[in-house]
Amino acid sequence: MTKRAIKVGNSIIGGGSRITIQSMTNTPTSNVDATTKQIDRLIKAGCDIIRLAVCSNEEVEACKKYIAFSKVPLVADIQFDYKLAVMCSDIGFGKVRINPGNIGSEKGVRELVSACKANSTPIRIGVNGGSLENGLNENGAKALAESALKNVAMLNKFGFYDIVISAKSSDVRIMVDANRIISKECDYPLHLGVTESGDISDGTVKSAIGIGSLLLDGIGDTIRVSLSSDPVDEVSAARSILRAVGLDKNYCEVISCPTCSRCGYDLFEVVRQVKELVSDINVPLKVAVMGCVVNGPGEAKNADCGVAGGGKGKAVLFSRGKIIKTVTKDEILPELSKLISSLSLEKKIERTD
Amino acid sequence: MTKRAIKVGNSIIGGGSRITIQSMTNTPTSNVDATTKQIDRLIKAGCDIIRLAVCSNEEVEACKKYIAFSKVPLVADIQFDYKLAVMCSDIGFGKVRINPGNIGSEKGVRELVSACKANSTPIRIGVNGGSLENGLNENGAKALAESALKNVAMLNKFGFYDIVISAKSSDVRIMVDANRIISKECDYPLHLGVTESGDISDGTVKSAIGIGSLLLDGIGDTIRVSLSSDPVDEVSAARSILRAVGLDKNYCEVISCPTCSRCGYDLFEVVRQVKELVSDINVPLKVAVMGCVVNGPGEAKNADCGVAGGGKGKAVLFSRGKIIKTVTKDEILPELSKLISSLSLEKKIERTD
């Protein structure tokens, strides 16, 4: 079902809005210089919403500066201490994320709700497989979904509906199944992520499967890829996922074959150079780099243009499935570059028409 | 539905067997030295079934050597020329893959079927989004599925049922939807892959989503990750996908948090070292490397053991959710290493019991 729209600063989560990309700073929140720089790098990388852990009054103070300077909404991540959450709402954070498994009593939640109502601060109920409340089995998608929904019900009891939900697990299957359950049960937007997913290689695969398969089924409103790596890598991985499932089309996709015995030139190197060449293009364009005629112009006829090995040191350039020129290996890159520039200009003009 | 079991050399595809990993050589098939080495590297990397493009009689001759030497089944990839496919069946390839979009007339297919029947060679019907037969729209999952099923029907008409199906596209959504349709319609095992998926970064994300989301739903019997990269990278990516969806449990999983302001030690470096340390473990084990107590022993209580930052230059080691020792930063790796060795030994003994 379509989810309700939740306003987080100048951004909207849900309501059919564009899927936003989130990440989290890992510098000490009290270190204003380092954290300011990291927020800046994340924004430049395309991060839409940035979360910070807030653990003390001193960190709340530092956050006032980040809120004043940041062009994108900031989210306070609070564990244990609801009073910090109240302060974060009061100083103008775009959203507050609590982990119901450790936020404590209903009394604290009630105080938080009344601050968030007054300040129009949404709350993310963020349940994690490993830190469910007592009495709920930490294994299993159903338990994870139940925990999230139970906490939503508690906020609803206090008349609060400005809610985003996340149900994360380091187990991809549990994360996927939990979100499928929650998505059926309520209309609060879902923040997707696989938690503790590991380093950039394992974590990217786990996150791609977990987040990607839900997005393919229309589930998910904002995403965060968690990696034990520079947070900027999380933003890149998130963007790759959105592109792979067709939810971000304004870029130049480079499709390329894995090569086989039939390939007659150094395709991997051409792919590398073409990717560099097109990295700044922000209109929908598809370039194919193919090893041979078998997988060449025909196989790639959905591409706007491309190159295919043609045998005997030659290659063919094609545009929309038609061969337009035969070139030598050395001419591949300059000729393809001209073709890409002209097509990308056409698309830009189309778009502004 | 459970798929029928298809025997490919000494390997089984379908019938509830383990999901096999496939890759393809990209050395010239006629270059015996280079191709032998690559087959060897692929086997060492864990590739279960290896495909080679066969384009000429000379290459058929070279393949006799590979078939004699390879410990894993080899598959002949044939485009255009059914006579080559017949020869490949005759010389003992474990399977023949044809692209019905270009294999030509029914007469050729009939001859191929009679050779494959005589030699018990299964055929993979491999349809690709870009090279569907005339008359079928190249876009769209339905067209892709229809093309595969139409070609299966043709083989069935000739009394041939020893079939594996693949329906690939460079569009993840089309690939997923096409396989969902085919899986409902017949009981032939499915070979999953996203074709022309690009370089290792884009291609891994696309393949993880496409292959991974189908596997999560119980669809798929053998997989091939296509990357414009060393084929050995395809095997690693395939294995990561199987592990991420829980279909390969005999390894040591390293879960680790993305760190945040709360993290008190160089977690990324510890993750790197732990991953190196556990890379040869082939029993199911889970090690957690966590930044702080919030996401520490509790959050990672499903892990067999792990470490969490404890503040003030200290860290805690835990095993099955219980803290067992406080250590200094320098002691993390040696102490964790001892813990992992002892737990992995326990698991090995359990397994041989």
Side-chain angles (χ1 to χ4, degrees):
Chain A
M1 68 179 95
T2 308
K3 302 305 179 189
R4 64 177 75 195
I6 300 295
K7 200 172 168 302
V8 178
N10 56 15
S11 202
I12 303 283
I13 299 179
S17 297
R18 175 175 70 83
I19 311 287
T20 43
I21 294 175
Q22 305 206 23
S23 183
M24 187 165 180
T25 56
N26 64 0
T27 48
T29 302
S30 56
N31 184 333
V32 175
D33 188 44
T35 302
T36 302
K37 275 186 189 140
Q38 199 171 57
I39 290 173
D40 205 44
R41 286 179 63 232
L42 283 168
I43 294 174
K44 283 202 177 80
C47 191
D48 298 304
I49 297 171
I50 299 171
R51 182 158 49 118
L52 302 96
V54 186
C55 307
S56 66
N57 293 3
E58 184 202 357
E59 292 188 352
V60 173
E61 280 309 305
C63 287
K64 289 181 183 169
K65 295 179 190 153
Y66 312 139
I67 293 169
F69 125 86
S70 174
K71 279 177 233 149
V72 306
L74 302 182
V75 178
D77 189 80
I78 309 291
Q79 308 279 352
F80 306 114
D81 187 350
Y82 78 89
K83 285 182 188 155
L84 282 174
V86 170
M87 281 189 256
C88 286
S89 168
D90 286 342
I91 67 166
F93 263 102
K95 187 173 58 174
V96 170
R97 181 257 166 154
I98 57 169
N99 183 342
N102 67 30
I103 204 68
S105 63
E106 271 204 25
K107 178 186 158 288
V109 175
R110 194 156 44 210
E111 280 190 39
L112 175 59
V113 161
S114 84
C116 288
K117 270 188 192 169
N119 302 314
S120 299
T121 317
I123 295 175
R124 167 155 68 97
I125 301 273
V127 298
N128 275 7
S131 54
L132 294 183
E133 305 95 321
N134 288 340
L136 287 169
N137 177 0
E138 74 272 19
N139 285 310
K142 217 169 144 234
L144 199 57
E146 271 171 20
S147 170
L149 294 169
K150 200 189 90 179
N151 284 284
V152 167
M154 202 213 294
L155 293 190
N156 290 169
K157 197 175 75 179
F158 301 141
F160 194 80
Y161 305 93
D162 206 6
I163 299 167
V164 176
I165 301 174
S166 68
K168 300 189 182 182
S169 168
S170 64
D171 183 305
V172 174
R173 192 180 290 272
I174 290 176
M175 173 267 184
V176 168
D177 290 345
N179 279 284
R180 284 177 175 171
I181 297 171
I182 297 169
S183 182
K184 267 191 208 137
E185 293 290 324
C186 66
D187 73 345
Y188 295 105
L190 295 182
H191 165 124
L192 305 181
V194 176
T195 191
E196 291 124 33
S197 70
D199 67 6
I200 191 164
S201 63
D202 293 346
T204 299
V205 168
K206 287 184 189 172
S207 301
I209 300 174
I211 296 171
S213 62
L214 288 165
L215 290 176
L216 277 180
D217 288 340
I219 297 171
D221 302 278
T222 183
I223 68 174
R224 192 252 171 132
V225 173
S226 299
L227 300 175
S228 296
S229 190
D230 185 334
V232 166
D233 294 332
E234 299 187 341
V235 178
S236 308
R239 186 185 291 123
S240 296
I241 293 170
L242 292 181
R243 288 174 172 180
V245 297
L247 289 170
D248 172 8
K249 294 183 189 297
N250 291 320
Y251 75 109
C252 178
E253 182 178 7
V254 180
I255 64 170
S256 59
C257 80
T259 77
C260 68
S261 163
R262 299 181 193 96
C263 182
Y265 67 104
D266 187 356
L267 179 140
F268 297 167
E269 179 56 22
V270 171
V271 169
R272 201 191 57 75
Q273 291 177 341
V274 170
K275 281 206 72 176
E276 219 173 276
L277 193 72
V278 304
S279 63
D280 288 333
I281 293 178
N282 57 6
V283 290
L285 204 68
K286 197 186 273 194
V287 176
V289 182
M290 310 297 276
C292 69
V293 285
V294 169
N295 287 314
E299 188 80 30
K301 57 180 170 288
N302 287 325
D304 293 291
C305 68
V307 60
K312 292 173 190 158
K314 300 276 183 183
V316 295
L317 290 187
F318 54 89
S319 186
R320 284 155 187 145
K322 290 211 170 62
I323 292 176
I324 54 170
K325 203 172 194 176
T326 300
V327 296
T328 64
K329 283 179 192 175
D330 292 340
E331 290 167 339
I332 292 176
L333 209 74
E335 290 289 335
L336 196 55
S337 169
K338 275 193 263 177
L339 198 52
I340 292 169
S341 299
S342 108
L343 285 169
S344 118
L345 195 65
E346 265 178 44
K347 294 249 176 167
K348 261 181 206 146
I349 293 166
E350 267 170 39
R351 205 165 63 159
T352 49
D353 267 359
Chain B
M1 68 180 95
T2 307
K3 303 304 180 191
R4 64 177 75 196
I6 300 295
K7 200 173 168 301
V8 178
N10 56 16
S11 201
I12 303 282
I13 298 178
S17 298
R18 175 176 70 84
I19 310 287
T20 43
I21 294 175
Q22 305 207 24
S23 183
M24 187 166 181
T25 56
N26 64 0
T27 47
T29 303
S30 55
N31 184 334
V32 176
D33 188 45
T35 303
T36 302
K37 275 186 190 140
Q38 199 171 57
I39 291 173
D40 206 44
R41 286 180 62 232
L42 283 168
I43 293 174
K44 284 203 176 81
C47 192
D48 298 303
I49 298 171
I50 299 171
R51 182 157 50 115
L52 301 96
V54 186
C55 307
S56 67
N57 294 2
E58 184 203 358
E59 292 188 352
V60 173
E61 280 310 304
C63 287
K64 290 182 183 168
K65 295 179 192 154
Y66 311 139
I67 292 169
F69 125 86
S70 175
K71 277 176 238 151
V72 307
L74 302 182
V75 179
D77 189 81
I78 309 291
Q79 307 279 350
F80 306 115
D81 187 349
Y82 78 89
K83 285 182 188 155
L84 282 174
V86 170
M87 282 189 256
C88 286
S89 169
D90 286 342
I91 67 167
F93 263 102
K95 186 173 60 174
V96 169
R97 180 257 166 153
I98 58 170
N99 183 341
N102 67 29
I103 204 69
S105 65
E106 272 204 23
K107 177 185 159 290
V109 174
R110 193 155 44 210
E111 280 190 41
L112 176 59
V113 161
S114 83
C116 288
K117 270 188 192 169
N119 302 314
S120 299
T121 318
I123 295 175
R124 167 156 68 99
I125 300 273
V127 297
N128 275 7
S131 53
L132 294 183
E133 305 95 321
N134 288 340
L136 287 170
N137 176 1
E138 75 272 18
N139 286 310
K142 216 169 145 234
L144 199 57
E146 271 171 19
S147 170
L149 294 169
K150 199 188 93 181
N151 284 285
V152 166
M154 201 213 294
L155 294 190
N156 289 168
K157 197 174 76 180
F158 301 141
F160 194 81
Y161 305 92
D162 206 6
I163 300 166
V164 176
I165 303 174
S166 67
K168 300 189 183 184
S169 167
S170 64
D171 183 307
V172 175
R173 193 181 289 273
I174 290 176
M175 174 267 184
V176 168
D177 290 346
N179 279 285
R180 284 177 176 172
I181 297 171
I182 296 169
S183 182
K184 266 190 208 140
E185 294 289 325
C186 66
D187 74 345
Y188 296 105
L190 296 181
H191 164 124
L192 305 181
V194 176
T195 192
E196 290 124 32
S197 70
D199 66 6
I200 192 165
S201 63
D202 292 346
T204 299
V205 168
K206 286 184 188 172
S207 301
I209 300 175
I211 296 171
S213 63
L214 287 165
L215 290 176
L216 277 180
D217 288 341
I219 297 172
D221 303 278
T222 183
I223 68 173
R224 190 251 173 131
V225 174
S226 298
L227 299 175
S228 295
S229 190
D230 185 333
V232 167
D233 295 333
E234 299 187 343
V235 178
S236 309
R239 185 183 294 126
S240 296
I241 293 170
L242 291 181
R243 288 174 173 181
V245 298
L247 288 170
D248 172 7
K249 295 184 190 295
N250 291 320
Y251 76 109
C252 179
E253 182 179 8
V254 180
I255 63 170
S256 59
C257 80
T259 78
C260 67
S261 162
R262 297 180 195 98
C263 182
Y265 67 104
D266 188 356
L267 179 141
F268 298 166
E269 179 55 22
V270 171
V271 169
R272 200 191 59 73
Q273 292 176 342
V274 170
K275 281 205 73 174
E276 221 174 275
L277 192 72
V278 304
S279 63
D280 290 332
I281 293 178
N282 56 6
V283 288
L285 203 68
K286 198 185 272 194
V287 177
V289 183
M290 312 297 279
C292 70
V293 284
V294 169
N295 287 313
E299 188 80 32
K301 60 179 167 285
N302 288 323
D304 293 290
C305 68
V307 60
K312 293 175 190 158
K314 300 275 182 185
V316 295
L317 290 188
F318 54 90
S319 186
R320 285 158 185 142
K322 291 211 169 64
I323 293 178
I324 53 170
K325 203 171 192 177
T326 300
V327 296
T328 64
K329 283 178 192 174
D330 292 340
E331 291 167 339
I332 292 176
L333 210 74
E335 290 289 336
L336 195 55
S337 170
K338 275 193 264 177
L339 197 52
I340 292 170
S341 300
S342 108
L343 285 168
S344 117
L345 195 66
E346 264 177 46
K347 295 246 176 170
K348 261 180 208 147
I349 293 166
E350 268 170 40
R351 207 165 61 160
T352 49
D353 268 355

